[in-house]
Structure formats: structure tokens, C-alpha cells
Amino acid sequence: MSLVLHVDAGPWRAHQDLVVSGHQGIVPVAKGNGYGFGLGRLAAEATRMGLDLMAVGTAEEVPALRAAVAGQPGFQGDVVVLTPWRPDDPVADQVLHDPQVITTLSRVADVAAVARAHPGARVILEVLTSMSRYGMRPDEFAEAVAAAGPLEIVGWTIHLPMIGEHLGEATDLATAALAAHRAPLWVSHLSAGDLDRFRRTFDVPVRPRIGTELWLGAHGAMRYLASVQDVHEVTAGQQVGYWQRRAGRRHHHLAVVSGGTANGVAMQAPTAAATLRQVVQTLANGAMEAGRLALSPYSAGGHKLLFAEPPHMQASLLWVPSSVHVGDELEVTMRATTATPDQVILD
């Protein structure tokens, strides 16, 4: 009983190789759930491509890249931790002793603290962008460099928003950073054209951080499939499930299928509502749920199926047509960044 991610390995790997060949100095990002593949799987792919560096989200994720997966050795190159170091984090402190780990620092006070406690540690300094997340302002750059003292500054990192034109912003920030200290520039979310112009502007190495495009860009190479475990005939008005909801007049077959909240089924972040279509979809889904008619991510015969009730931990109840039988496999539309399949199979 499992929800399985099937990956067409040939096209998936061909896409990875194409992205890597087109981005000099690429920093592959593998964090969280590993974009649905798992951190170990992505580490194995980075090793296959001969990459010398990977990025993870938190210090806790470093061991997952080092661990062997399916008989393949773990990643042996450098690992940069993207979430900035903060005091009183024992795991973040521990990886500072690893010469192959690069720690992100985003506050002058933290730069000074790490310099005192861990001289010689390798660090990257983060600048504050219009994202308004982590980072230091340009008027803090010189102070941060001075506070770094015995630290090895590997570079400056510029984390930009995902939408909009930000080449000018990146250029201004990079210019200010290099005036304080010359080091490689690490950037994210610049278009290919803007990245090329950015490279030509500066005479230091530029390293693009790339995750989604690298791992999920091979559209059609990935399929999530769930098995049908049981099918029950029901009558109109019959109560079913944990919440004893009544079957409607059109509901005659109730299926128990693999996959639930533990796998990330129907788990998603709030929509950005960046387009009219997204707004309309959000309103439509809300109206359906208010009427206890929640559309599920499972499909049969090319049509989405309705949940009979909210998904359970490892199984879901669906209203299905009579053509669905025990042992069938249903397509599941999953958000890769929240998906945790029971198995990942490279076909």
C-alpha cells in the first residue's frame, strides 16, 4: 500500500545535464523534502554529474546529503547551509567545525560571534534584497567584513524575488558588496539573459543557485501513482468515513486509495494569487469545500475525483466511477515541494 513516484530516468537526467552545462558554477539546491525525490537521491545525482558543491536549507539536512543511498556513496563535496546561522543553535554550531560546510551569515553581530568562536570557518555573507528576508544592508557591508576577521569569506549571496525584473537591484548590491570585499557572487532567480549580463558586469566568479529548474524542469518525466486498496458499493444517504458524511445521489462507489497527509496529498501552500486565474481557482475551490465537495488530486480516466472526506494519514476515501477496481493505479497530482512518496522508482 504505497504512493509511488515513477521517474523516467533518461529524460530526467538528460534535463539535469543540460541545465548544468548551461550554468557555469551552478550551485544545485536540495532542501526540505528534496523536491519530492529525497535529499539522498538528489545528492546521488549531483555526484553523478561531478558537481563539487550543493546547497541545503538547514544545518540538520547536511547528514542526509552525506549518507549513502541505494548503494551509492553520499555527496563528498562542499555543502552550503542557506538558512543563516543564529546563536544557540547547536547543530548550526557543530557544522562550523566541518571544513566542507559553508555557513551563511546575515547579521553583523552574528559575523562577529562566529569569528570569535570559530576562527577559520568558511562563511558566505548574505545581503538584504527587496525580498526583505535575511541579509545585511549595503551600509553594513564594510563593518561585516571587518568583523569577519579570521573567517574565510567564500562569497556574497544575493537572494532575489521570483517575479519581476531585478537585474538592476542585483547589480547595485553586488557593486556595493565587492567594494567592501572581493569575493564570488552567488545569485538566485535571475533569468538566463540577466544572469549573462550580470556575469559580464563583474570580474569575479558568479555562481547561480538553482533548484526547481534543475530537478523539476523535465516536465512529463515524473508520475505519482496510488493504488486502489478497496472499493465499496454505497447507497444515497449512507454515512461513510471518520466524519460520517452522507453519500449523495450520484455517489455509488467509495474507494480506499493509498496516499494521505503523510505523503503530502492535498497539502499545499496558500496560493500567491498572482494571476486572475489563480484567484478564480481559489474562490471555486473554497465554494466547493464549503459544500463538502472537495476536489481531490487523484484522477481516473483523465477526470479528477472527489474526496469523500479529508484525506487520512496514509489513505484517502474517494468517490469513484464503476470503472475503478481494486488493484488499479490512479494518477495523483502532487506539489513536489510538499510530496513525500513512499517509494521513488527510476524507470
Side-chain angles (χ1 to χ4, degrees), residues 192-308:
D194 283 351
L195 181 60
D196 185 56
R197 286 186 283 273
F198 188 79
R199 286 185 190 278
R200 294 199 303 267
T201 302
F202 303 102
D203 60 355
V204 297
V206 173
R207 305 204 69 165
R209 299 188 330 193
I210 299 178
T212 302
E213 178 189 355
L214 177 63
W215 307 120
L216 301 177
H219 304 295
M222 293 153 281
R223 297 175 66 210
Y224 290 91
L225 295 178
S227 58
V228 178
Q229 303 297 314
D230 225 330
V231 178
H232 306 288
E233 291 191 16
V234 299
T235 57
Q238 181 177 334
Q239 292 178 307
V240 301
Y242 279 123
W243 304 105
Q244 291 291 278
R245 291 184 174 179
R246 296 184 183 277
R249 287 177 296 176
R250 297 181 181 180
H251 300 152
H252 303 296
H253 297 88
L254 181 70
V256 184
V257 301
S258 58
T261 55
N263 305 103
V265 169
M267 305 291 285
Q268 61 183 27
T271 177
T275 66
L276 178 60
R277 180 181 180 183
Q278 289 177 331
V279 172
V280 171
Q281 287 177 333
T282 300
L283 291 173
N285 289 339
M288 288 185 65
E289 290 185 19
R292 296 187 176 182
L293 294 174
L295 199 64
S296 83
Y298 297 87
S299 299
H303 299 286
K304 286 289 180 65
L305 302 171
L306 293 173
F307 278 123

Side-chain angles (χ1 to χ4, degrees), residues 108-346:
V108 175
D110 294 341
V111 175
V114 172
R116 286 192 302 269
H118 303 278
R122 303 171 70 199
V123 302
I124 188 166
L125 303 181
E126 183 156 11
V127 307
L128 185 65
T129 71
S130 56
M131 284 248 293
S132 296
R133 293 213 321 181
Y134 306 115
M136 292 173 280
R137 303 184 310 272
D139 62 352
E140 298 177 298
F141 292 171
E143 184 181 1
V145 171
L151 300 176
E152 179 186 347
I153 300 176
V154 175
W156 296 93
T157 181
I158 304 172
H159 192 190
L160 299 163
M162 296 179 66
I163 63 172
E165 297 294 329
H166 296 282
L167 177 60
E169 176 187 1
T171 300
D172 291 343
L173 290 170
T175 300
L178 294 179
H181 180 78
R182 297 190 63 76
L185 299 168
W186 301 34
V187 296
S188 59
H189 303 141
L190 282 180
S191 68
D194 283 351
L195 181 60
D196 185 56
R197 286 186 283 273
F198 188 79
R199 286 185 190 278
R200 294 199 303 267
T201 302
F202 303 102
D203 60 355
V204 297
V206 173
R207 305 204 69 165
R209 299 188 330 193
I210 299 178
T212 302
E213 178 189 355
L214 177 63
W215 307 120
L216 301 177
H219 304 295
M222 293 153 281
R223 297 175 66 210
Y224 290 91
L225 295 178
S227 58
V228 178
Q229 303 297 314
D230 225 330
V231 178
H232 306 288
E233 291 191 16
V234 299
T235 57
Q238 181 177 334
Q239 292 178 307
V240 301
Y242 279 123
W243 304 105
Q244 291 291 278
R245 291 184 174 179
R246 296 184 183 277
R249 287 177 296 176
R250 297 181 181 180
H251 300 152
H252 303 296
H253 297 88
L254 181 70
V256 184
V257 301
S258 58
T261 55
N263 305 103
V265 169
M267 305 291 285
Q268 61 183 27
T271 177
T275 66
L276 178 60
R277 180 181 180 183
Q278 289 177 331
V279 172
V280 171
Q281 287 177 333
T282 300
L283 291 173
N285 289 339
M288 288 185 65
E289 290 185 19
R292 296 187 176 182
L293 294 174
L295 199 64
S296 83
Y298 297 87
S299 299
H303 299 286
K304 286 289 180 65
L305 302 171
L306 293 173
F307 278 123
E309 67 177 8
H312 309 151
M313 182 77 76
Q314 294 171 314
S316 295
L317 295 181
L318 308 175
W319 297 117
V320 298
S322 58
S323 58
V324 172
H325 304 286
V326 174
D328 288 350
E329 289 186 314
L330 304 181
E331 293 268 3
V332 194
T333 302
M334 299 287 289
R335 182 185 176 95
T337 53
T338 59
T340 306
D342 297 304
Q343 298 181 60
V344 178
I345 298 177
L346 271 61

